[in-house]
Amino acid sequence: MMKIKNILGVLLLGAVASFGAEPPPNIVLIFADDLGYGDVGCNGATLVQTPNIDKLAKEGRRFTDAHSSSAVCTPSRYGLLTGEYPMRAGLWGPCPPTSKLLIDTDKLTIAKLLKNKGYETSCFGKWHLGFGTQEADYTKPLRPGPQELGFDYYFGVPVVNSAPPYVYVENDRVVGMTSDDPIVYLGKNAGENATPITPLTEAHGNRVPNWFGGAVEAHKLYNDFELGTTLAARATQWISERKAKPFFLYLATTNIHHPITPAPRFQGTSQCGLYGDFIHELDWMVGEIVKTLEEQGVADNTLIIFTSDNGGMFNHNGQEAFKHGHRQNGDLLGFKFGIWEGGHRVPFIARWPGGIEAGTTSDQLICNVDMLATFAALTGQSLGKEQQADSVNVLPALLGEPDVPLRDHLVLSPRKASHISIRKGKWMYIPAKSSGGFTGGPGKHGAGGPACVSFVGNVNSDIVNGKIKKNAPRDQLYDLEADVNQTRNVVKQHPEVVQEMQALLERYKAQLASDSKSQRK
């Protein structure tokens, strides 16, 4: 059976390369926000119900060893769009509301790649990669931005649902802003001078106050409890208007990032509070996309990829869900921002009735930076070495069952540069203690690290009573094949592996130093 499946994969790859009389597949890439590995039913969740996401897995392929290139939102998006490790661009944390565009407009992106092949391209939802050449000025056209990176159309949230400005942007303009009432940047201390935004309670989770005044009508159009339904309506409308050309839709949801604000129809529908309700809204959004593809008669020739920008965050809402018995990252160690598996191992499902065998799983090591090379292969395009950067073509893992790993190794980044780490085969090497992410204890918004590892009942040989042991090794090595939950640091038992991983990591650090020096000249 294995050989038959591999032969099938090879034949499919050949068909994709030539296309023959068949049009290339449409591509829908759904990039959820802060959705942990254990937040979906097909990965073991029981207190939330995700029938639409689970159906994608039933009709497609679920990957169990898929990762985000970073455990942080902005860097992860950079990696997804460019196929390049975000550390190469010096990206480690979320960018602020006034950030310039963080992707060089000369750089190849997945949108440009597909546009070169005749695709119509669109982006909906959370951008969080900045606008402009110096800083974002929301009173002017927000150029360069998504359109300079290959998207024909953009509609969404310019930063994130927890940070200002709380408005929508369509293409390069703030939606609803008028010349007689422009948006005004006031800064962090705007206070009462800021334009009012949707009233929320502590139960909804952390949100930064508005830093902007003016644009009253534009702010009124933005309602936290309507974000998911608005983005779903816009995205499905765009699909329904596509007729002749193949299309690429990138939907970067605000679900399930804090504040947790599901529409009223979803509130109270899960068994773990608002956190689960927000997942239910996300699942509904997935269902709306699939339903629209079916109504348009293009579902069988559309590749849908569903994944997340990083692992789940143990914020107030995540902690509340845990009290009900929900484990957002399953039994994996750690949370968003950190380098342990819970920070970057994410759900990843691919469905394409015309090419992917239904109801299958893959344990191939893959990463979101791999989409560039994979989409190039899917559309019969070749990439130069510099264009491909860190991206690996994992199309054989989507269409078949390769006998060998497609990736030799993977570089992974947390919030702190000190914890940039290497995955190679079954080994995960971390060159420092702890996770390099959040360190707050239970009850804090920025909860994570050793304190929360112990709180949720995870075990790690370097941790006792929520603290790193005084005699803990200075670095970490885990055999993920035998110990995916990272209970035992075996760095002392395998010095030869450590030496190999350190050398590989040093090679990347030397490249970073060289790139940084070149940029300063």
Side-chain angles (χ1 to χ4, degrees), residues 207-329:
R207 181 181 63 174
V208 176
N210 197 7
W211 297 356
F212 292 77
V216 173
E217 293 303 315
H219 281 92
K220 285 182 179 179
L221 292 173
Y222 182 103
N223 184 308
D224 288 83
F225 297 99
E226 297 174 357
L227 286 181
T229 53
T230 297
L231 293 177
R234 289 282 187 154
T236 53
Q237 179 184 350
W238 189 85
I239 293 173
S240 67
E241 293 170 351
R242 299 311 101 193
K243 300 299 180 183
K245 294 183 178 181
F247 61 80
F248 168 56
L249 184 145
Y250 166 49
L251 173 58
T253 73
T254 52
N255 300 58
I256 58 170
H257 193 284
H258 61 89
I260 308 295
T261 55
R265 76 174 96 164
F266 302 104
Q267 293 173 19
T269 59
S270 76
Q271 291 79 57
C272 55
L274 284 173
Y275 186 94
D277 300 343
F278 217 26
I279 295 174
H280 282 190
E281 182 176 72
L282 171 64
D283 184 73
W284 169 84
M285 294 171 70
V286 172
E288 289 297 290
I289 294 292
V290 174
K291 182 173 70 174
T292 304
L293 292 171
E294 291 172 344
E295 291 172 349
Q296 290 295 102
V298 297
D300 285 350
N301 195 40
T302 298
L303 168 63
I304 301 175
I305 291 176
F306 175 85
T307 188
S308 178
D309 66 343
N310 46 247
M313 181 177 177
F314 202 53
N315 51 28
H316 291 130
N317 299 97
Q319 293 171 50
E320 184 64 27
F322 176 75
K323 291 179 182 178
H324 290 280
H326 179 69
R327 297 183 67 93
Q328 57 191 178
N329 295 320

Side-chain angles (χ1 to χ4, degrees), residues 447-486:
C452 292
V453 163
S454 295
F455 180 78
V456 301
N458 282 88
V459 175
N460 179 273
S461 58
D462 290 350
I463 299 172
V464 61
N465 296 327
K467 296 181 180 180
I468 298 293
K469 296 177 181 177
K470 291 183 179 180
N471 63 343
R474 64 181 182 181
D475 48 3
Q476 303 169 67
L477 181 70
Y478 298 99
D479 177 353
L480 298 182
E481 190 175 283
D483 182 24
V484 70
N485 297 327
Q486 298 176 297

Side-chain angles (χ1 to χ4, degrees), residues 359-378:
T360 54
T361 60
S362 173
D363 62 359
Q364 280 278 340
L365 174 64
I366 66 171
C367 181
N368 61 4
V369 296
D370 296 334
M371 295 305 97
L372 183 75
T374 301
F375 292 166
L378 181 67

Side-chain angles (χ1 to χ4, degrees), residues 101-426:
L101 181 64
L102 297 176
I103 299 177
D104 189 326
T105 54
D106 290 333
K107 190 174 292 294
L108 183 67
T109 65
I110 54 177
K112 285 184 180 180
L113 177 89
L114 295 172
K115 194 174 175 66
N116 290 342
K117 201 66 176 180
Y119 279 69
E120 294 185 78
T121 59
S122 65
C123 173
F124 293 87
K126 176 180 173 178
W127 181 241
H128 213 179
L129 285 166
F131 303 93
T133 57
Q134 299 298 321
E135 63 177 24
D137 183 349
Y138 292 90
T139 65
K140 299 176 181 178
L142 294 165
R143 299 275 190 148
Q147 290 173 301
E148 280 68 39
L149 299 181
F151 292 104
D152 295 317
Y153 180 77
Y154 170 68
F155 178 89
V157 179
V159 185
V160 61
N161 57 321
S162 65
Y166 297 104
V167 294
Y168 289 112
V169 169
E170 185 171 23
N171 291 327
D172 61 359
R173 307 295 175 100
V174 173
V175 178
M177 184 178 70
T178 58
S179 58
D180 60 344
D181 187 22
I183 195 167
V184 180
Y185 176 65
L186 301 173
K188 296 181 180 180
N189 299 317
E192 295 181 355
N193 294 320
T195 300
I197 53 180
T198 312
L200 300 179
T201 69
E202 288 187 8
H204 297 108
N206 190 63
R207 181 181 63 174
V208 176
N210 197 7
W211 297 356
F212 292 77
V216 173
E217 293 303 315
H219 281 92
K220 285 182 179 179
L221 292 173
Y222 182 103
N223 184 308
D224 288 83
F225 297 99
E226 297 174 357
L227 286 181
T229 53
T230 297
L231 293 177
R234 289 282 187 154
T236 53
Q237 179 184 350
W238 189 85
I239 293 173
S240 67
E241 293 170 351
R242 299 311 101 193
K243 300 299 180 183
K245 294 183 178 181
F247 61 80
F248 168 56
L249 184 145
Y250 166 49
L251 173 58
T253 73
T254 52
N255 300 58
I256 58 170
H257 193 284
H258 61 89
I260 308 295
T261 55
R265 76 174 96 164
F266 302 104
Q267 293 173 19
T269 59
S270 76
Q271 291 79 57
C272 55
L274 284 173
Y275 186 94
D277 300 343
F278 217 26
I279 295 174
H280 282 190
E281 182 176 72
L282 171 64
D283 184 73
W284 169 84
M285 294 171 70
V286 172
E288 289 297 290
I289 294 292
V290 174
K291 182 173 70 174
T292 304
L293 292 171
E294 291 172 344
E295 291 172 349
Q296 290 295 102
V298 297
D300 285 350
N301 195 40
T302 298
L303 168 63
I304 301 175
I305 291 176
F306 175 85
T307 188
S308 178
D309 66 343
N310 46 247
M313 181 177 177
F314 202 53
N315 51 28
H316 291 130
N317 299 97
Q319 293 171 50
E320 184 64 27
F322 176 75
K323 291 179 182 178
H324 290 280
H326 179 69
R327 297 183 67 93
Q328 57 191 178
N329 295 320
D331 292 327
L332 297 175
L333 187 73
F335 307 93
K336 172 184 176 178
F337 267 41
I339 199 60
W340 292 325
E341 290 297 292
H344 50 81
R345 188 180 289 234
V346 291
F348 191 104
I349 301 166
R351 172 191 181 267
W352 179 23
I356 296 175
E357 185 178 0
T360 54
T361 60
S362 173
D363 62 359
Q364 280 278 340
L365 174 64
I366 66 171
C367 181
N368 61 4
V369 296
D370 296 334
M371 295 305 97
L372 183 75
T374 301
F375 292 166
L378 181 67
T379 55
Q381 301 182 67
S382 59
L383 297 176
K385 184 177 180 180
E386 186 175 339
Q387 287 178 316
Q388 189 161 341
D390 306 302
S391 190
V392 172
N393 171 22
V394 298
L395 188 61
L398 269 65
L399 303 183
E401 296 183 4
D403 293 324
V404 296
L406 299 175
R407 260 194 171 279
D408 176 73
H409 63 275
L410 175 62
V411 182
L412 294 160
S413 301
R415 177 64 178 88
K416 294 180 181 178
S418 58
H419 284 65
I420 179 176
S421 301
I422 290 280
R423 168 74 186 278
K424 184 175 174 64
K426 68 179 184 177

